[in-house]
């Protein structure tokens, strides 16, 4: 009975461990969805998106900085001019360009539309990586074809959403919310169409900026390998840059006023939840399950936002948006599948490159540990003085370490 109970407990704990990444990623999507809806309400109430960006990243800096100071105090590398320049550009791409254009696009469109457009990120990142030669495309391989086709399908979905709005698709629970006269609906639709195209272009620019940030951030982390500190510095420098942009774009000091209202909630929620907690949780999930697993949940946010937006904001969902969203999600998963296959191939290649040690006996009766190395490993071994002897033949070499005959006889007795 006791053994059976222990087995059940072990099975339950194992199941909980397996479920944790799924629960974490689903919770994150609800957190992101809440940010989109709350921000939309704040923007509708007249808050300047320039000011919102400043307050958001100020909250983000204050919430991430303590963890960076404590957890990375021993591993934080020295700051160089080149790294600072990269951080300056990262702050310009992320907090300033991406966030301002995203909020502007959100203001002119809808939370569901904005979330659908953000699913273009993996495809755009792939295109940027190819342009900067960080990724190679071999159309003879299925994974490369999947990424190229997925990118094209994603772009087609984004173009469809931008250029074709279509008729409004009413949900069962929203029919009672749209009881306006036909003339009012026509006037509202004409006014909305003027801003829809502009908002779509803003969202595409924001996604391009975010993809560029990923490419540059990957390069910066090689020089400054302290993720929390890097994020803190990006948020801090981005806050300063956003302040300058806000003073240039908003000439009234009244826009800076903020009280205990929806504007404060939007800034604090976006800064603390989506820029701090979400960063940490997503980092843990990516560490255990990989980036492809984390990215695969992003379409769920779009569904959650669509439901929340139709309830809270009485948001219209249009036919063009639905068709475009389906294409974007299909392209997203095609790109992610290709990336998953690429990661699997890399792991196989790394496993094949591990040196294999075998035992042999020389003519004097001494046991030798023979380790197969490639030319690069051989050169390293010779420089570091770790190799006792080496003989190269074409692209392979062996390193022999002698063991006294007395020890060999002892090993022989043990094996017998």
């Amino acid at each position: 009975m006791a053994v059976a109970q222990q087995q059940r407990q072990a099975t339950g704990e194992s199941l909980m461990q397996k479920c944790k990444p799924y629960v974490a990623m689903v919770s994150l999507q609800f957190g992101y969805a809440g940010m989109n809806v709350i921000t939309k309400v704040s923007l509708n109430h007249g808050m300047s998106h320039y000011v919102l960006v400043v307050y958001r990243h100020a909250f983000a800096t204050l919430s991430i900085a303590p963890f960076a100071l404590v957890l990375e105090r021993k591993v934080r590398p020295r700051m160089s001019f080149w790294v600072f320049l990269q951080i300056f550009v990262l702050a310009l791409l992320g907090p300033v360009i991406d966030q301002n254009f995203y909020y502007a696009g959100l203001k002119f469109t809808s939370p569901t539309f904005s979330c659908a457009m953000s699913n273009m990120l993996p495809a755009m990142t792939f295109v940027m990586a190819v342009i900067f030669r960080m990724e190679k495309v071999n159309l003879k391989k299925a994974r490369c074809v999947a990424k190229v086709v997925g990118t094209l399908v994603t772009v087609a979905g984004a173009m469809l959403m931008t250029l074709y709005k279509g008729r409004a698709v009413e949900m069962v629970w929203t029919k009672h919310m749209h009881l306006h006269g036909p003339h009012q609906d026509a006037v509202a639709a004409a006014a909305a169409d003027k801003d829809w195209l502009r908002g779509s272009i803003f969202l595409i620019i924001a996604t391009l900026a975010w993809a560029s940030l990923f490419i540059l951030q990957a390069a910066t982390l090689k020089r400054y390998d302290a993720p929390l500190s890097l994020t803190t510095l990006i948020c801090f420098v981005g806050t300063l840059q956003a302040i300058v942009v806000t003073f240039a774009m908003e000439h009234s000091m009244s826009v800076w006023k903020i009280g205990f209202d929806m504007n404060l909630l939007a800034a604090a929620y976006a800064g603390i939840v989506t820029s701090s907690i979400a960063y940490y949780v997503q980092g843990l999930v990516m560490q255990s399950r990989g980036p492809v697993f984390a990215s695969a949940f992003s379409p769920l946010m779009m569904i959650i936002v669509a439901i929340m937006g139709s309830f809270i904001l009485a948001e219209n969902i249009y036919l063009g948006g639905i068709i475009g969203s389906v294409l974007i999600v299909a392209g997203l998963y095609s790109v992610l599948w290709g990336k998953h296959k690429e990661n699997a191939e890399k792991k196989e290649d790394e496993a094949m490159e591990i040196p294999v040690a075998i035992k042999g006996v020389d003519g004097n009766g001494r046991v030798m540990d023979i380790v197969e190395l490639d030319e690069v490993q051989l050169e390293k071994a010779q420089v570091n003085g770790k190799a006792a002897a080496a003989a190269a033949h074409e692209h392979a070499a062996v390193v022999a370490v002698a063991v006294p005959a007395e020890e060999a006889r002892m090993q022989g007795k043990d094996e017998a």
Side-chain angles (χ1 to χ4, degrees):
M1 290 290 291
V3 175
Q5 188 175 1
Q6 288 178 353
Q7 288 178 343
R8 285 195 296 269
Q9 287 178 349
T11 305
E13 290 176 1
S14 177
L15 183 63
M16 285 290 292
Q17 289 295 327
K18 290 180 180 178
C19 289
K20 276 183 179 179
Y22 293 91
V23 173
M25 289 309 302
V26 171
S27 301
L28 273 186
Q29 303 315 309
F30 275 98
Y32 285 134
M35 186 274 292
N36 278 276
V37 174
I38 292 172
T39 301
K40 177 66 173 177
V41 173
S42 176
L43 293 171
N44 287 347
H45 287 173
M47 185 175 190
S48 168
H49 63 82
Y50 298 107
V51 176
L52 181 58
V53 169
V54 173
Y55 286 137
R56 169 180 176 165
H57 289 91
F59 276 111
T61 304
L62 292 174
S63 56
I64 300 174
F67 296 99
L69 290 171
V70 174
L71 298 177
E72 294 181 344
R73 64 183 185 278
K74 295 181 180 179
V75 299
R76 191 181 303 110
R78 287 186 177 181
M79 178 65 64
S80 65
F81 174 76
W82 179 244
V83 171
F84 176 77
L85 190 63
Q86 288 179 314
I87 290 172
F88 185 88
V89 176
L90 284 168
L92 194 64
L93 288 171
V96 178
I97 298 176
D98 168 64
Q99 292 300 313
N100 275 303
F101 276 104
Y102 183 82
Y103 284 151
L106 176 63
K107 184 177 181 180
F108 290 132
T109 56
S110 68
T112 306
F113 187 91
S114 302
C115 291
M117 281 291 196
S118 66
N119 284 318
M120 293 172 58
L121 182 61
M124 284 194 173
T125 305
F126 168 67
V127 172
M128 298 289 290
V130 171
I131 292 172
F132 289 103
R133 297 183 180 180
M134 297 178 71
E135 189 152 350
K136 294 180 180 179
V137 177
N138 184 0
L139 294 179
K140 293 180 180 180
K141 294 187 176 181
R143 59 176 176 81
C144 292
V145 174
K147 287 192 282 188
V148 171
V149 171
T151 300
L152 294 175
V153 171
T154 301
V155 172
M159 290 179 66
L160 180 66
M161 291 180 69
T162 303
L163 302 175
Y164 174 69
K165 194 172 182 181
R167 63 182 180 83
V169 179
E170 287 194 354
M171 304 297 176
V172 176
W173 58 83
T174 60
K175 285 184 178 179
H176 66 282
M177 298 181 184
H178 308 290
L179 299 177
H180 306 292
H183 177 69
Q184 287 178 313
D185 285 341
V187 172
D193 285 339
K194 290 181 180 178
D195 293 330
W196 197 266
L197 180 61
R198 185 166 32 156
S200 302
I201 294 171
F202 286 165
L203 291 170
I204 292 172
I205 294 172
T207 310
L208 274 171
W210 196 242
S212 303
L213 181 138
F214 276 164
I215 298 297
L216 181 57
Q217 189 175 24
T220 306
L221 280 170
K222 293 178 182 178
R223 293 172 173 268
Y224 196 82
D225 190 15
L228 284 173
S229 300
L230 181 63
T231 304
T232 303
L233 289 169
I234 291 171
C235 289
F236 176 69
V237 176
T239 303
L240 299 180
Q241 291 176 345
I243 290 173
V244 174
V245 172
T246 305
F247 275 121
M249 302 301 294
E250 300 284 358
H251 304 290
S252 174
M253 293 302 294
S254 60
V255 297
W256 293 94
K257 290 181 181 178
I258 191 169
F260 289 96
D261 51 13
M262 184 60 69
N263 295 344
L264 178 63
L265 176 62
Y269 185 97
I272 297 172
V273 176
T274 60
S275 293
S276 302
I277 297 174
Y279 171 82
Y280 178 71
V281 173
Q282 189 163 313
L284 291 178
V285 174
M286 288 174 67
Q287 194 173 18
S288 62
R289 300 300 297 268
V292 175
F293 178 86
S295 302
F297 285 83
S298 58
L300 178 61
M301 174 180 63
M302 181 176 63
I303 298 170
I304 297 168
V305 168
I307 296 171
M308 291 175 66
S310 62
F311 272 111
I312 300 172
L313 303 172
E315 176 190 341
N316 282 322
I317 299 175
Y318 296 95
L319 182 62
I322 294 175
I323 299 173
S325 299
V326 171
L327 288 175
I328 287 176
V329 171
L332 167 71
Y333 281 118
S334 179
V335 173
L336 291 179
W337 182 85
K339 199 67 183 172
H340 170 71
K341 288 294 181 182
E342 181 184 349
N343 292 338
E345 286 182 14
K346 284 182 179 177
K347 287 181 180 179
E348 288 179 6
D349 292 341
E350 287 173 3
M352 290 174 66
E353 289 172 3
I354 296 174
V356 179
I358 59 175
K359 285 188 177 182
V361 181
D362 67 0
N364 297 323
R366 292 183 299 177
V367 177
M368 298 182 297
D369 287 335
I370 302 174
V371 185
E372 292 190 1
L373 301 174
D374 59 19
E375 288 182 85
V376 176
Q377 291 172 316
L378 178 59
E379 288 176 8
K380 290 181 179 178
Q382 288 174 336
V383 171
N384 295 332
K386 292 181 179 179
H393 178 67
E394 292 182 357
H395 298 292
V398 294
V399 178
V401 181
V403 180
E406 197 170 327
E407 290 184 21
R409 285 195 295 272
M410 292 295 294
Q411 289 181 1
K413 288 180 182 179
D414 292 339
E415 290 174 1

